[in-house]
Amino acid sequence: MITKATVKYIQSLQHKKVRDENNMFIAEGPKVVRELLDTAVFECEQIYCTETWLEGLDTNLANRYAERINVIKDFELEKISALKVSNNVLAIFHKKTALDPINISKTITLVLDDVQDPGNLGTIIRIADWFAIPTILCSRATADCYNPKVVQSTMASLGRVNIVYADIFEKLQKNSNIKKYAAVLGGKDINGVGKIKEGFIILGNESKGISKEIVAMADEKISIKRLGNAESLNVAVAAGIILYAVS
């Protein structure tokens, strides 16, 4: 039986403050947990799973994490799950230390100015991984990359992309020699920008866009050509289109 104290602790990891204090985060679901275990980028603290999940786990992984696996009943998993329908396994991992100062030489760096939706952040991390973007520089008001919803949507990409939270105005100011591209409405058509080998690509808040002080720092304002009547594009969709155009 899983103890009440353990249930309370796991539930508390839904909150950023507790994740930061303990330097831990949770991942749920067979695919994301298996990928995180397989890549071993994050140290696994404990695994709580059903017998069914354990029976389907690769023998090597089962042996490697045997001492950390706790087989529990479905109703116990429901108590600790953040999902509407619990999904066979929940694991607790140690967060990794972000690399800062970041490597900006001869590469594209994504900059997120207060992107607050966890789903959008998770998708952007996977997109960055797809296009081999090594670092995402996030404002401090950007969603927490260890939010359960972010972890759920990033899969193992969370371990392959360096995600740094900082004062982005200060970071951009210190790297004045690196070209900055701000994604805004009414900018230069992204198809005319050409390939970018080095630079910051800045994406803004879902409703407010990029702050005026950050836009003012941009060397070039870029846009995705609009053919229809939609007011705007989802920020994660925009990230994918822009990276495809300039990579």
Side-chain angles (χ1 to χ4, degrees):
M1 289 286 291
I2 190 170
T3 67
K4 289 183 179 180
T6 299
V7 170
K8 185 176 180 181
Y9 170 65
I10 295 172
Q11 290 175 339
S12 73
L13 289 174
Q14 301 292 334
H15 305 287
K16 183 180 185 300
K17 180 181 178 180
V18 180
R19 291 195 296 271
D20 290 345
E21 289 173 350
N22 291 274
N23 205 37
M24 302 283 189
F25 71 98
I26 59 175
E28 290 194 67
K31 185 172 177 59
V32 63
V33 170
R34 186 175 289 111
E35 286 196 18
L36 290 175
L37 292 175
D38 193 43
T39 57
V41 171
F42 302 98
E43 180 186 349
C44 180
E45 179 70 13
Q46 293 290 326
I47 301 168
Y48 299 90
C49 65
T50 62
E51 190 69 49
T52 301
W53 181 82
L54 183 57
E55 289 173 355
L57 185 63
D58 176 84
T59 302
N60 291 331
L61 287 178
N63 291 336
R64 186 193 307 174
Y65 296 101
E67 294 182 358
R68 302 172 192 184
I69 294 175
N70 305 274
V71 178
I72 60 177
K73 302 295 184 183
D74 288 339
F75 76 90
E76 293 177 298
L77 190 60
E78 288 176 4
K79 290 180 181 180
I80 59 175
S81 176
L83 303 176
K84 291 183 178 180
V85 180
S86 57
N87 204 352
N88 288 328
V89 61
L90 178 150
I92 302 174
F93 293 92
H94 292 258
K95 296 196 287 186
K96 70 173 184 176
T97 302
L99 301 176
D100 193 22
I102 59 178
N103 176 27
I104 57 175
S105 177
K106 298 179 181 179
T107 189
I108 293 173
T109 302
L110 277 184
V111 181
L112 305 184
D113 185 12
D114 295 3
V115 172
Q116 297 176 336
D117 183 85
N120 282 339
L121 177 59
T123 303
I124 290 171
I125 292 171
R126 288 185 71 182
I127 290 169
D129 189 19
W130 181 269
F131 286 102
I133 303 301
T135 300
I136 299 177
L137 178 60
C138 301
S139 67
R140 300 194 189 282
T142 292
D144 178 22
C145 66
Y146 293 106
N147 179 299
K149 291 182 180 178
V150 177
V151 176
Q152 191 77 15
S153 59
T154 59
M155 300 299 178
S157 293
L158 185 63
R160 289 188 288 264
V161 180
N162 184 39
I163 304 165
V164 176
Y165 289 83
D167 181 330
I168 61 173
F169 182 87
E170 183 180 295
K171 286 283 189 183
L172 293 174
Q173 195 173 47
K174 284 183 177 179
N175 292 282
S176 57
N177 59 314
I178 303 297
K179 193 166 183 179
K180 301 162 188 67
Y181 303 83
V184 298
L185 292 175
K188 181 177 180 180
D189 186 348
I190 190 64
N191 290 318
V193 173
K195 303 303 179 184
I196 298 175
K197 293 184 178 180
E198 180 181 85
F200 292 106
I201 295 179
I202 309 165
L203 300 164
N205 176 275
E206 289 85 352
S207 60
K208 300 176 183 177
I210 304 170
S211 64
K212 291 181 180 179
E213 63 175 1
I214 299 297
V215 170
M217 300 177 75
D219 299 292
E220 194 161 353
K221 298 173 185 177
I222 58 175
S223 294
I224 298 166
K225 185 177 180 180
R226 177 168 56 186
L227 301 177
N229 298 313
E231 182 180 345
S232 63
L233 273 177
N234 172 277
V235 64
V237 172
I241 295 171
I242 291 170
L243 288 176
Y244 178 75
V246 303
S247 296

